[in-house]
């Protein structure tokens, strides 16, 4: 994963990959790579959201 993407940057990259897959603009040879990138972006976004959720809980205590 690229170092320290913001959540919005990661989400934007993920949306771009999904759009490419949906409109068949990704060559079949690179599909596996793009799916792997999408998976990493999903994990990254989930981690960011969990971190933010924890931080918000801490602030509200």
């Amino acid at each position: 994963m690229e170092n320290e993407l913001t959540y919005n940057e990661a989400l934007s990259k993920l949306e771009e990959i999904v759009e490419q897959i949906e409109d068949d603009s990704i060559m079949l040879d690179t599909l596996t790579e793009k799916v792997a990138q999408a998976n990493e972006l999903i994990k990254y976004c989930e981690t960011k959201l969990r971190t933010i959720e924890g931080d918000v809980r801490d602030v509200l205590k």
Side-chain angles (χ1 to χ4, degrees), residues 43-55:
K43 290 178 186 177
Y44 184 80
C45 287
E46 287 175 340
T47 299
K48 280 284 203 183
L49 287 172
R50 284 189 194 107
T51 300
I52 291 168
E53 181 181 33
D55 292 347

Side-chain angles (χ1 to χ4, degrees), residues 27-41:
M27 294 180 55
L28 194 54
D29 295 336
T30 60
L31 181 60
T32 301
E33 179 184 324
K34 290 294 184 175
V35 170
Q37 287 176 345
N39 190 46
E40 289 298 314
L41 288 165

Side-chain angles (χ1 to χ4, degrees), residues 8-22 41:
N8 287 338
E9 290 169 337
L11 184 60
S12 178
K13 286 179 182 245
L14 179 58
E15 289 171 339
E16 183 179 312
I17 292 170
V18 170
E19 189 174 302
Q20 291 172 352
I21 291 170
E22 288 178 344
L41 288 165

